[in-house]
Amino acid sequence: MKYDFARIEKKWQAKWEETKPYAAETGSDKPKFYGLIEFPYPSGQGLHVGHPRPFTAMDIVTRKKRMEGYNVLFPIGFDAFGLPTENYAIKNHIHPAVVTRNNIQNFTRQLKMLGYGFDWDRCVDTTDPKYYKWTQWIFLQLFKKGLAYKTTMPVNWCTSCKCVLANEEVVNGVCERCGSEVIRKEKSQWMLAITKYAQRLIDDLDDLDYIERVKIQQKNWIGRSTGAELTFDTNTGDKVTVYTTRPDTLFGVTYMVISPEHPLLKQWKDKIQNWDEVAAYQDAAAHKSDFERGELNKDKTGVRLQGIEVMNPATGEHVPMFVSDYVLMGYGTGIVMGVPGHDQRDWEFATKFGLPIIEVVSGGDVTKEAFVAKDDSAIMVNSGFLNGMTVKEAIPAMKKYVVEQGWGEEKVNYKLRDWVFSRQRYWGEPIPLVNCPKCGWVPLPESELPLVLPQVESYEPTDDGESPLSKMTDWVNTTCPCCGGPAKRETDTMPQWAGSSWYFLRYMDPHNDKELVSKEAEEYWGPVDWYNGGMEHTTLHLLYSRFWHKFLYDIGVVHTPEPYAKRTSHGMILGEGGEKMSKSRGNVVNPNDIVDQYGADTMRLHIMFIGDFEKAVTWSNEAVKGSKRFLDRCWNLMDIAEEGELSQKNEAIIHKTIKKVTEDIDTLKMNTAIAALMTMVNEFYAKGLTKGDLEQLMLLLSPFAPHMVEEMWELTGFAAKYGKMAMQMPWPSFDESKTHEAEKEMAVQVNGKLRSTVVVPADAADDVVIAAACADEKIKRQMEGMELVKTIVVKNKLVNLILKPKK
RNA sequence: GCCGCUGUGGUGGAAUCGGUAGACACAGGGGACUUAAAAUCCCCCGGUAGCGAUACUGUACGGGUUCGAGUCCCGUCAGCGGCACCA
């Protein structure tokens, strides 16, 4: 009989739909396993070939876990708020909710076509008011705890999306999503105080089973640095405070620099003799985009503040002060001390403005460039009491001294900024706050949640940077929940990242209308045991959701401080030619086409076989045939399998393969697991097999090719025999002692070079192996005129004979 | 500039703790079956020399450690990813 994948896949998908073998049971006595994949954004293009890679991998992991006796939660949902849908809606004059519904339907159909074992009854949709009620609820809790605040600040503004962006959404100075220029704009925005959690977000990484590069990238993004804040006296009577990681270089300070945005400048307006010049510089800086301002190798610019002088407490000397845009307002104090001898930026600035350069750490030539010591054993010079110390000694010594003298204090800084949380767009969760002229910002009572997104005529972004909701006067004008007086609703919406920051909790208890998640369900399922997703979300979704989860932990909603016990990441699928798949390149592969031509099981198998899961791989339509061929060969084994239990002749290969597949699935080495299965099948063809042998193959193959295996399971009578589907059987176990062959082929080396091989009994004693090696014809020839001076035997692997010419 | 990762046949990729480099596939070549094609089955497939046994050589490059290095150490080059005027 031919392997008719189209008929078989349809048949089993219908059966699974009906009998729900993937339903997770909250509270079951079995050990739980919660496997999670990043829920997709339901775009209009439908499923991309990139989606099945992580989905299939986690599907295989969870199918194996079920067979190992776990109560598995493997859910799916849709992260459906966001700009592409909104832009499509604007262009085609269809409501975004309608677009979203259609896209979700399409995605659902495609995901079911691939045979994933999702518990569909737990499906969530972030745009469903029953879902975003709780997104809004979490925001209100953040607001009540003072972690959501509104402030006016320069923000990233995408000129094309007409919307603010979080720092994490700006890549190389352009919008992460549309690639348009991002400029800085003063706007009043809702912010979330993620920086309050910076230290915990670093510290708690230590105990998590995340792949190392994710941890490193998160730590770099949070960017912790330790140093000191130093306060200097000025001739105006005001004090200025700087942050430095190198207080030991205080004796080398020859000037100070203040950021153009610093409020102190305005305060000094009357004291700065060249105010007009300074104001002009401030104005110019304000008109530069972040990209222009941050451009590499750019000339240092600045203006000296005439009339302002700062005293260096270490030397008692007065140094000039400048305004320059190389100092950022958002980091440290917005003022830095200039140490041109030992900071390249300061050196460039000092050189340009003719400022003195003092060497305080020896080892370089500060007349040519700043000397930044690579290790901390360089010696301090020209630095009073620090002279002769190494940098390593000088830093703590100076910190201590600074504190004793009352000049400043030790300080930790982070590059992480608070999260800009409002967006001037329609298709997002409304922020459930009301602005009352008397009471200020007032939260909506929780009983009034969800605050449903109103129907509007036009959801186009406005040129004045206000949300489309602002034009809905009926909706905007409301009464204050606090005093009952007239008040206005917040018209900005939440960013795309809001709904995805907690969705994994909703899966645990998706239909609860009383709570975000019940205590019982959360304590049973939490935390997620294994979360796989893309590297591109490391500093966005992954960091944001860890932050929200920690907050929910603090207010007692969840029982663990971290949401995900384990995090792995998959590589991208590239188009033919090794380029990123894109419509414009015309190299996009649609999973539909592969499924139509070869079937879902081939698609699943191939996307796992294609290469190392963590690395990027190039898609090749040609190579798919190999995976189909393998499934055909598995199918055809039914014709040659003889009656009988597990056979003696195949025992070793079967146990070896069970071991390999079991271990490889746990470490996501799906490609080598499949290679091992191929090797076993090749051996079955060479040696013949029994139905008992075939049974083991079917069980091992079941997570990879579930449709075909169930059909084979039925045809070979095992379904009737056990009264279960293959996927419901226990995972095969192996006996370590049976994984070894009775005889081993061992390599024989002479002076480290391979010269021959010999076959000896497994685990043969060293002298037996050496004797066998010396008896080998090829080795005998090598040994002529030589004497054996040493032997090295590696059990079951090789023997190395060290020969020397006879005297 | 800083941090991290990766360099293996024509191609995708395998190689526990340092132990037979190229598993498993794709492509290619040869053969069987067939009127023919597809499918299937068998054989070959890093390079050089040789009919062959075999020998030499080979994991980006240059050194080193070791009985033995794709794997460890030092240096160089190339590519990828992240961060980037963060004081």
Side-chain angles (χ1 to χ4, degrees), chain A residues 135-271:
Chain A
T135 312
Q136 292 174 329
W137 182 87
I138 295 170
F139 178 84
L140 285 186
Q141 310 314 308
L142 286 160
F143 178 78
K144 287 173 189 171
K145 297 284 176 190
L147 293 168
Y149 62 95
K150 195 163 202 188
T151 187
T152 299
M153 61 174 295
V155 292
N156 307 301
W157 177 261
C158 174
T159 47
S160 163
C161 300
K162 294 175 184 166
C163 186
V164 303
L165 302 174
N167 285 323
E168 288 82 354
E169 291 170 303
V170 183
V171 175
N172 294 329
V174 301
C175 174
E176 179 213 29
R177 194 161 287 284
C178 70
S180 307
E181 191 196 13
V182 173
I183 59 168
R184 280 169 330 114
K185 206 166 176 169
E186 283 271 328
K187 274 195 75 74
S188 175
Q189 296 295 319
W190 284 101
M191 307 289 292
L192 296 186
I194 190 171
T195 52
K196 290 224 165 81
Y197 282 74
Q199 192 60 49
R200 286 166 68 189
L201 287 167
I202 294 173
D203 292 343
D204 292 353
L205 281 173
D206 289 342
D207 299 324
L208 296 173
D209 182 15
Y210 284 15
I211 50 170
E212 207 50 37
R213 52 194 177 128
V214 168
K215 288 191 185 184
I216 290 165
Q217 240 180 68
Q218 286 214 345
K219 280 185 189 164
N220 286 349
W221 183 262
I222 297 167
R224 178 189 150 100
S225 77
T226 56
E229 272 188 2
L230 306 179
T231 300
F232 295 73
D233 287 324
T234 68
N235 63 343
T236 64
D238 300 296
K239 290 179 187 292
V240 294
T241 302
V242 305
Y243 172 72
T244 177
T245 55
R246 294 292 302 277
D248 56 307
T249 60
L250 183 58
F251 287 89
V253 171
T254 57
Y255 67 100
M256 305 289 279
V257 199
I258 187 166
S259 165
E261 291 87 14
H262 203 291
L264 196 56
L265 285 171
K266 200 178 254 175
Q267 215 176 299
W268 278 345
K269 186 175 174 181
D270 299 331
K271 291 169 182 152

Side-chain angles (χ1 to χ4, degrees), chain A residues 224-231 242-245 247 395-404 407-413:
Chain A
R224 178 189 150 100
S225 77
T226 56
E229 272 188 2
L230 306 179
T231 300
V242 305
Y243 172 72
T244 177
T245 55
I395 292 175
M398 192 56 161
K399 277 186 185 168
K400 189 162 166 256
Y401 188 73
V402 158
V403 173
E404 281 166 9
W407 297 346
E409 56 188 12
E410 293 197 33
K411 174 82 182 174
V412 173
N413 256 317

Side-chain angles (χ1 to χ4, degrees), chain A residues 251-324:
Chain A
F251 287 89
V253 171
T254 57
Y255 67 100
M256 305 289 279
V257 199
I258 187 166
S259 165
E261 291 87 14
H262 203 291
L264 196 56
L265 285 171
K266 200 178 254 175
Q267 215 176 299
W268 278 345
K269 186 175 174 181
D270 299 331
K271 291 169 182 152
I272 297 171
Q273 290 152 15
N274 56 338
W275 174 253
D276 289 349
E277 201 187 344
V278 170
Y281 186 81
Q282 277 183 301
D283 195 48
H287 282 90
K288 284 183 195 170
S289 71
D290 269 9
F291 188 67
E292 281 176 285
R293 217 177 132 162
E295 236 186 320
L296 207 62
N297 299 330
K298 171 178 74 73
D299 254 6
K300 295 280 178 289
T301 59
V303 175
R304 181 168 176 169
L305 306 181
Q306 302 288 350
I308 306 288
E309 285 200 335
V310 181
M311 193 190 75
N312 183 342
T315 61
E317 278 178 34
H318 292 262
V319 297
M321 188 152 191
F322 291 77
V323 58
S324 173

